[in-house]
């Protein structure tokens, strides 16, 4: 898809086109970050450390996929972190009190996520309030519900083995690494999201809506329906990620995922997706997700004091954004 | 150029935005093989009228008939399905998409159509059709179908929007100030396109502030003032000064004296 949007035909300018594409620029930076940490601390590449990163990566990465599509359509969702907590909390409450079996509980949990996304989407599109305000309010509501129904205490998670536990949070050995099934979910969802955004009719609509909504509507694109659908997808992915996480650590906490909304948005924009809509890249998001995980992990290994840690994360994000801004300036007339 | 079958009939169409009555009483008829120029000063309601026809702002009252049948146009898709293609005044392109993707927005060629909105785009067809189209409009610079619309000039963007309307060879093509921002060559491209469309037997509704263009391509003028259609003339029966007088709502002789005095 990089090829598709690169018009240059002379070899020299094609090279410049590649270096100037936001995805490639992020890839280069990611390589530098990874090599840097490995040189500073060989333990960064140890099987244990890599396995650790791979356990966390899919959980935020899955949310980032939904967020990428949503941002490309020109909206975003601050309620994902809270949904990440509420989804599994509902599942565990229902399953543990023996109200329903675990399968039904999971289905109900996902239905609640669908409802959250649908309410976000309906208010944003039909009433016309900005997604910042709507999803900020939704963040508080959803987090509040999670805290209230658990009385603030984490729930012990489902520990009986079964098909759902296997599906969501089983782990297996691959060579020296210990990996979780969530990695497969992440890979499959990434492929699906990349296909939709770059190669499908729907992807064309998503980009067009984010780029110029009126133009898309004038061509008969059902912009509101697409946006509502994307809000739902994002909420469902956040809930799914929350359930994966809860099964993995055998606990569902009402405060899980606090601050994830900003971490996920950072991953997406660091990858090169425009916060203003119209331009999204799934490859970039993967790079952004790996980069932020690697940075968080590597900074600790390198021995930066825990409290100073966010200074570095923030600074690296800023550097990435400045880089993207330069690339934008160079390749567009306006 | 003698009147063919009726394509479009508007009957006392009304549209308000809150308490702004943008359209109060607009009635008009447009026939096959006819170019109608819709004239009127800024804010007269011309864009609102064509947005009603193209489904962007469905109107509040009145009737619209397409080819003799009463039509209900609730959204852009309805209008497109009735064979009405519109080039809006505020550019109708998505700047972050390529020319090819813009040309087929909303009507993407796909393989595996049973996948619905998830169907894969047919990139080969997309690019081929786009290249053919770009050749047809007189765009001075050679443009690649994969170029982002972002990087084009205003005139080039306008030409892209026009070639898109051509592609879907609609029954009725509506152009809202299509020659705005265009250079000499592109302006002639647009006027030539309007004649081609008429020759193909379609109808054209053409909004412009340039009265000279009216006399070059239009068969009939429809004049609006404050949300109402106030006059209608065959171009052969009128002249530039009379048309200007109609737009301003003054007497042609007064206007002539005015001009002479200067
Ligand atoms: N979306 C809207 N909301 C509120 N008022 C509107 C809207 N669109 C148009 N109007 C008002 O309706 C009236 C007619 O506007 P319209 O755009 O149809 O004029 P026009 O004849 O196309 O003018 P121009 O030649 O300047 O393009 C104006 O007073 C305008 O302010
Ligand atoms: Mg107008």
């Amino acid at each position: 898809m990089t090829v598709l949007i690169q018009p240059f035909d002379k070899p020299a300018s094609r090279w410049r086109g590649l270096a100037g594409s936001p995805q490639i620029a992020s890839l280069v930076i990611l390589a530098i970050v990874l090599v840097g940490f490995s040189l500073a601390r060989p333990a960064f590449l140890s099987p244990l450390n890599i396995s650790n990163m791979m356990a966390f990566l899919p959980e935020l990465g899955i949310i980032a996929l939904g967020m990428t599509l949503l941002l490309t359509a020109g909206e975003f969702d601050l309620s994902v972190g809270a949904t990440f907590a509420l989804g599994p909390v509902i599942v565990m409450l229902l399953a543990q009190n023996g109200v329903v079996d675990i399968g039904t509980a999971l289905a109900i949990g996902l239905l609640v996520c669908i409802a959250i996304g649908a309410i976000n989407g309906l208010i944003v599109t039909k009433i016309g309030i900005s997604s910042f305000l709507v999803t900020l309010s939704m963040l508080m509501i959803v987090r509040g519900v999670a805290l209230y129904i658990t009385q603030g205490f984490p729930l012990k998670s489902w520990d009986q083995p079964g098909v759902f536990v296997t599906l969501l949070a089983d782990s297996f050995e691959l060579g020296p690494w210990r990996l979780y099934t969530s990695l497969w979910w992440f890979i499959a969802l990434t492929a699906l999201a990349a296909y939709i955004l770059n190669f499908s009719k729907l992807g064309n609509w998503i980009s067009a809506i984010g780029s110029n909504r009126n133009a898309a509507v004038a061509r008969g694109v059902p912009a509101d329906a697409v946006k509502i659908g994307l809000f739902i997808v994002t909420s469902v992915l956040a809930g799914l990620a929350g359930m994966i996480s809860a099964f993995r650590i055998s606990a569902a906490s009402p405060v899980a995922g606090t601050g994830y909304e900003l971490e996920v948005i950072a991953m997406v924009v660091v990858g090169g997706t425009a916060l203003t809509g119209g331009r999204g890249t799934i490859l970039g998001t993967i790079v952004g997700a790996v980069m932020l995980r690697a940075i968080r992990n590597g900074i600790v290994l390198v021995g930066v004091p825990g409290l100073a840690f966010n200074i570095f994360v923030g600074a690296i994000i800023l550097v990435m954004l400045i880089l993207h801004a330069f690339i934008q300036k160079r390749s567009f007339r306006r | 150029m003698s009147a063919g079958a009726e394509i479009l009939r508007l009957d006392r169409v009304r549209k308000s935005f809150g308490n702004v009555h943008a359209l109060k009483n607009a009635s008009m008829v447009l026939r096959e093989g006819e170019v109608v120029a819709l004239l009127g000063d800024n804010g007269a309601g011309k864009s609102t009228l064509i947005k009603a026809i193209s489904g962007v702002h469905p109107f509040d009252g009145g009737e619209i008939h397409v080819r003799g049948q009463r039509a209900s146009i609730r959204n852009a898709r309805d209008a497109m399905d009735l064979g009405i293609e519109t080039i809006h005044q505020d550019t109708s392109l998505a700047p972050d998409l390529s020319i090819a993707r813009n040309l087929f927005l909303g009507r993407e060629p796909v393989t595996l159509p049973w996948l619905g909105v998830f169907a894969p785009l047919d990139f080969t067809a997309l690019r081929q059709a786009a290249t053919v189209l770009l050749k047809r409009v007189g765009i001075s610079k050679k443009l690649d179908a994969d170029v982002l619309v972002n990087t084009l000039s205003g005139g080039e963007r306008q030409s892209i929007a026009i070639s898109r309307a051509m592609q879907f060879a609609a029954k009725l093509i509506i152009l809202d100030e299509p020659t705005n921002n265009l250079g000499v060559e592109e302006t002639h491209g647009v006027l030539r396109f309007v004649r081609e469309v008429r020759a193909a037997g379609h109808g054209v509704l053409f909004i412009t502030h340039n009265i000279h263009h009216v006399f070059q391509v239009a068969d009939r003028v429809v004049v609006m003032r404050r949300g109402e259609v106030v006059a209608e003339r065959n171009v052969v029966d009128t002249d530039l000064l009379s048309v200007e007088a109609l737009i301003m709502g003054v007497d042609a002789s007064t206007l002539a004296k005015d001009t002479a005095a200067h």
Side-chain angles (χ1 to χ4, degrees):
Chain A
M1 113 226 191
T2 322
V3 186
L4 252 179
I5 57 168
Q6 295 303 330
F8 308 101
D9 38 19
K10 281 171 291 174
S13 56
R14 163 162 304 181
W15 212 98
R16 206 188 55 198
L18 275 181
S21 104
Q23 298 97 304
I24 304 297
S26 334
L27 257 180
V28 171
I29 306 262
L30 174 63
I32 294 171
V33 166
L34 293 181
V35 170
F37 280 134
S38 327
L39 291 180
R41 282 282 161 222
F44 183 74
L45 288 182
S46 73
L48 179 68
N49 194 45
I50 289 188
S51 303
N52 251 332
M53 279 196 275
M54 286 302 176
F56 282 117
L57 176 70
E59 289 161 18
L60 280 159
I62 286 173
I63 312 177
L65 295 174
M67 193 71 85
T68 305
L69 298 181
L70 195 57
L71 271 173
T72 309
E75 304 290 347
F76 60 95
D77 186 351
L78 294 176
S79 65
V80 288
T83 308
F84 180 93
L86 183 64
V89 157
I90 287 178
V91 174
M92 296 315 162
L93 269 183
L94 290 174
Q96 279 172 359
N97 295 340
V99 187
V100 291
D101 66 281
I102 183 74
T104 317
L106 280 167
I108 293 174
L110 289 176
L111 277 178
V112 170
C113 297
I114 290 176
I116 294 170
I119 294 170
N120 280 338
L122 282 168
I123 297 179
V124 168
T125 59
K126 301 299 178 194
I127 304 183
I129 303 175
S130 85
S131 53
F132 178 85
L133 300 173
V134 173
T135 61
L136 180 64
S137 318
M138 189 56 84
L139 180 166
M140 297 192 218
I141 295 170
V142 171
R143 181 69 70 191
V145 169
L147 283 167
Y148 183 70
I149 60 178
T150 56
Q151 294 298 307
F153 292 107
L155 302 166
K156 220 174 85 56
S157 179
W158 196 253
D159 42 16
Q160 298 155 34
V163 58
F164 293 107
V165 178
T166 316
L167 267 178
L168 291 176
D170 203 16
S171 64
F172 56 94
E173 309 269 342
L174 186 80
W177 300 293
R178 174 156 206 83
L179 300 173
Y180 286 87
T181 35
S182 56
L183 195 59
W184 299 133
W185 283 90
F186 185 43
I187 292 171
L189 289 169
T190 299
L192 188 63
Y195 164 75
I196 288 178
L197 189 55
N198 301 313
F199 299 105
S200 80
K201 187 165 163 172
L202 180 60
N204 205 38
W205 293 2
I206 292 173
S207 308
I209 292 167
S211 184
N212 182 350
R213 183 183 172 277
N214 290 341
V217 170
R219 300 308 297 165
V221 172
D224 290 355
V226 170
K227 280 189 180 177
I228 294 170
L230 291 177
F231 272 109
I232 292 177
V233 165
T234 307
S235 288
V236 166
L237 290 180
L240 177 71
M243 292 170 198
I244 288 174
S245 170
F247 277 126
R248 182 173 58 80
I249 60 178
S250 293
S253 163
V255 293
T258 304
Y260 275 21
E261 53 283 344
L262 296 182
E263 180 94 8
V264 164
I265 291 172
M267 287 173 169
V268 175
V269 295
V270 157
T273 293
L275 196 56
T276 45
R279 276 173 287 124
T281 151
I282 295 292
L283 173 63
T285 294
I286 302 308
V287 171
V290 173
M291 177 136 53
L292 257 70
R293 279 276 39 113
I295 290 170
R296 287 205 177 277
N297 174 289
I299 280 178
V300 176
L301 285 185
V302 170
V304 171
L307 292 176
F309 167 101
N310 270 332
I311 302 175
F312 286 84
V313 178
I316 291 172
I317 294 176
L318 258 185
V319 168
M320 291 297 300
L321 295 180
I322 291 170
L323 192 87
H324 287 312
F326 275 124
I327 294 171
Q328 275 302 311
K329 265 216 188 93
R330 243 188 27 195
S331 59
F332 292 115
R333 192 185 285 194
R334 58 191 135 241
Chain B
M1 134 167 188
S2 70
E6 176 183 308
I7 299 178
L8 178 76
R9 172 184 292 274
L10 301 178
D11 194 9
R12 284 162 294 150
V13 167
R14 282 177 284 113
K15 171 77 192 174
S16 308
F17 298 102
N19 49 18
V20 179
H21 302 294
L23 283 180
K24 282 180 272 192
N25 181 8
S27 303
M28 63 170 290
V29 174
L30 197 147
R31 298 188 183 79
E32 275 177 4
E34 189 180 41
V35 177
V36 172
L38 185 59
L39 307 177
D41 262 333
N42 297 120
K46 306 178 299 292
S47 294
T48 308
L49 182 67
I50 63 111
K51 281 180 180 160
I53 304 170
S54 59
V56 173
H57 291 315
F59 44 72
D60 307 330
E63 288 180 11
I64 176 165
H65 297 260
V66 177
R67 272 167 281 161
Q69 303 254 315
R70 173 129 191 223
S72 96
I73 300 178
R74 288 149 311 176
N75 53 45
R77 173 64 60 183
D78 289 345
M80 288 159 77
D81 290 345
L82 286 166
I84 301 172
E85 281 290 324
T86 309
I87 296 158
H88 292 280
Q89 181 173 18
D90 23 41
T91 180
S92 26
L93 303 178
D96 298 296
L97 270 58
S98 69
I99 294 177
R101 279 175 178 256
N102 262 289
L103 283 172
F104 292 92
L105 181 56
R107 282 179 171 161
E108 296 82 355
V110 294
T111 53
L112 313 180
W114 52 271
L115 279 171
V117 295
F118 297 103
L121 296 174
D122 184 345
F123 288 109
T124 327
L126 191 72
R127 205 164 317 165
Q128 267 170 8
T131 310
V132 171
L133 263 177
L134 287 175
K135 274 201 196 117
R136 263 177 77 193
V137 252
I139 301 179
S140 41
K141 202 175 86 184
K142 191 183 170 305
L143 286 178
D144 189 309
D146 290 336
V147 167
L148 298 190
V149 165
N150 243 327
T151 62
L152 303 180
S153 77
E156 288 164 341
R157 292 182 197 201
Q158 192 69 282
S159 309
I160 304 295
I162 290 170
S163 39
R164 183 167 64 189
M166 286 169 79
Q167 162 69 14
F168 297 104
K171 270 268 149 215
L172 170 64
I173 294 187
I174 303 173
L175 303 117
D176 195 349
E177 303 194 25
T179 53
N180 253 5
N181 307 319
L182 291 197
V184 178
E185 191 183 345
E186 283 84 359
T187 300
H188 279 284
V190 171
L191 298 182
R192 191 181 63 227
F193 160 69
V194 168
R195 289 191 199 99
E196 268 177 36
V197 172
R198 169 174 53 197
H202 303 319
V204 180
L205 186 59
F206 182 58
I207 300 180
T208 181
H209 287 292
N210 186 327
I211 314 252
H212 296 284
H213 293 164
V214 173
F215 282 89
Q216 284 178 43
V217 294
D219 301 309
R220 209 147 50 84
V221 299
V222 168
V223 180
M224 293 187 71
R225 225 180 295 138
R226 291 189 298 279
E228 293 184 62
V229 172
V230 292
E232 205 184 311
R233 298 281 185 277
N234 284 324
V235 166
V236 290
D237 303 334
T238 188
D239 55 56
L240 204 137
L241 211 57
S242 316
V243 171
E244 283 184 338
L246 284 172
I247 293 172
M248 292 193 271
V250 297
D251 199 46
S253 52
T254 342
L255 194 64
K257 264 184 251 149
D258 245 32
T259 323
H262 280 102

